[in-house]
Amino acid sequence: MASDRPAMEVIRNIIYGLLPRPQLSAVASRHAEPAAKRLLILSRYPNPSVSYYLDERTKALSDIPVIMKGIDEGLEDVDGDGLFVIICRYIREPQLRWLEDRRGQLAGVAYFVDDDIPAVLTGDEASWPYKFTLLNLAVRPLPRVNRLLTHLWTSTETLADTLAKAGHRIEILAPMPADQLPISPEPSEAAPATLKMIYHGTGVHRREHEFLMPIVSVAMKRHTALHFEVFAEGSLARQWSRQDIDATRITVHPPLPWSSYLEKTTDHGADIALAPLLRGKTNNSRSDTKRIDICRMGAAAIFSQCPTFTRCAVAGEIHVGNTAEEWLAAIDQLVSDTALRLTARNATKESIGKMRQSATPTFPGIRFDALGDMA
C-alpha cells in the first residue's frame, strides 16, 4: 500500500495543476470601470466566508444599497445598471446567465475565495459530498465566471500566490472581525470544578482531528476536571468515540449550520480551545479566522506554530510546535494555571483588535458614486 502513495501523489499533483482557477478576464481594465451605484453579493447564506470577510465591510457602505442574494434566489428584482457584483466562492447557472446577459450594464464583477479549492478537491480529507459541492458550484462555473471578472480577491497572500497569473493583480481581502464581538462571560478567577476544552474543526481538517485524538486521550486521563467537546460526523465521529476517554466527559456534536454555530458559540463558552494546523497545500493558504471563533467563546487557545497564526500573534498567546509532547505540555499548563488561562484568553481578544487594524475596511478597487474612490 505504501508503494502506491508516491504514484497517487503524482496523480493528485497533476489533477491539482489541471483544475481551473479564478482569473481576471482578458479585457479587464480597472481604469475603464464606471463608478458603482449599488452592490450585489452572491453566496450560500449563511456562511463563515461572508461573516468573516464581507459583513463588516458592507457596514461601511451606509450610502450604497447592498443586496445579498443566496445562490438559489432569482435576480429578476435587481437593477443591473451600475451594479457591482461580488461572487463569494459559489454561483449557479441561472445567476451566472443573468450576469452574462447584463454584462454591459455592470460596474464590475469580483470573485472572492478564501480556500485553495483545487487543493481541497485533490486532498484526501474532505468528504465526497463536499467535494461534489465544490466541483459543481465553485469549479465548473469558473471558465464562464472568469470572462466576467474585473476584480479578484483572496483571503491571504499565500493563496494569491497560488492563483496569480502574469500581469493579473490579485488583491487581499483579509479577515475583518466586528468591532465589538459578542463574547461569552468572563470566567471566575477561582479555579473551577470542571474545565471545558474544545476542538471545533470541520471534517476538512481530518488530519488535525487524527493528530489530536491521542493527545486529548492522554490529557483527559491526566486531568479529571476536563470535559472535551468536538464537532465531527461519520468516520471521524466514530474515531473519537473509540478513543479511550470516559464517555461521560466527551461530547461529540454533529456539525451545525453556520447560524446555529454562531448562536451556540456565543451562548456557550469554553475554557480551553485547541487550534492545530498541520502543513499542507490546503492549510498553507488559510487565514487565521479561527481566532474569531475562539475569542467569541472566551477561551484560552493553543495555536500551532505556523505562518497562519503568526500573522496577528500577540504576547500572551500560546503557540506550540506540532508534536504531541508540546501540545500536552501546553494543555497541562492551561489546566493547572488559572492566571495563564486568563492571560491567553485576553491575548486572543487583543489579537482580534490587531486583525481588525491590519485589514483594509473597504472593498479593493471599487469606486462608488456616493463614497468616491475607495481604491
Side-chain angles (χ1 to χ4, degrees), residues 154-227:
T154 66
S155 53
T156 67
E157 294 279 359
T158 304
L159 183 53
D161 289 342
T162 70
L163 301 178
K165 298 285 185 180
H168 287 172
R169 184 170 64 172
I170 298 178
E171 292 167 298
I172 308 304
L173 201 69
M176 185 72 180
D179 189 25
Q180 295 294 327
L181 283 174
I183 299 175
S184 293
E186 187 92 16
S188 167
E189 292 192 12
T194 61
L195 290 172
K196 181 178 176 182
M197 184 169 72
I198 61 101
Y199 175 57
H200 287 180
T202 66
V204 175
H205 291 278
R206 174 174 292 277
R207 290 193 303 143
E208 282 76 18
H209 278 272
E210 293 176 344
F211 170 76
L212 285 178
M213 286 174 187
I215 294 170
V216 171
S217 183
V218 171
M220 297 294 283
K221 290 185 180 68
R222 288 183 182 175
H223 306 289
T224 56
L226 276 180
H227 184 96

Side-chain angles (χ1 to χ4, degrees), residues 20-23 40-54 68-72 85-93 95-96 99 109-121 126-127 129-146 149 151-156 159 163 173 202-205 258 282-283 285-287 289 363:
R21 269 73 167 166
Q23 62 185 78
L40 169 66
I41 300 176
L42 303 176
S43 187
R44 295 181 79 190
Y45 294 111
N47 72 57
S49 299
V50 173
S51 295
Y52 293 145
Y53 299 95
L54 305 183
M68 305 188 83
K69 291 278 191 178
I71 60 173
D72 294 314
V85 182
I86 299 174
I87 301 170
C88 181
R89 294 175 61 105
Y90 307 122
I91 192 168
R92 288 193 187 275
E93 161 70 23
Q95 292 184 341
L96 181 51
L99 295 179
V109 179
Y111 183 83
F112 171 69
V113 63
D114 54 349
D115 265 329
D116 186 346
I117 290 175
V120 176
L121 286 170
S127 67
Y130 181 58
K131 288 185 178 184
F132 179 79
T133 296
L134 292 178
L135 279 169
N136 190 43
L137 300 181
V139 175
R140 188 176 61 85
L142 272 181
R144 291 169 62 186
V145 168
N146 288 345
L149 292 186
H151 298 68
L152 179 53
W153 305 329
T154 66
S155 53
T156 67
L159 183 53
L163 301 178
L173 201 69
T202 66
V204 175
H205 291 278
W258 179 243
T282 305
N283 284 346
S285 295
R286 292 193 187 281
S287 71
T289 53
F363 293 108

Side-chain angles (χ1 to χ4, degrees), residues 276-295:
L277 198 65
L278 306 181
R279 289 182 62 84
K281 278 182 183 176
T282 305
N283 284 346
N284 292 347
S285 295
R286 292 193 187 281
S287 71
D288 51 345
T289 53
K290 182 52 65 180
R291 273 197 171 93
I292 301 173
D293 297 333
I294 291 169
C295 183

Side-chain angles (χ1 to χ4, degrees), residues 227-244:
H227 184 96
F228 183 65
E229 174 185 275
V230 63
F231 282 87
E233 62 181 342
S235 62
L236 277 178
R238 291 190 292 272
Q239 283 179 263
W240 275 111
S241 66
R242 288 196 296 266
Q243 300 303 304
D244 188 15

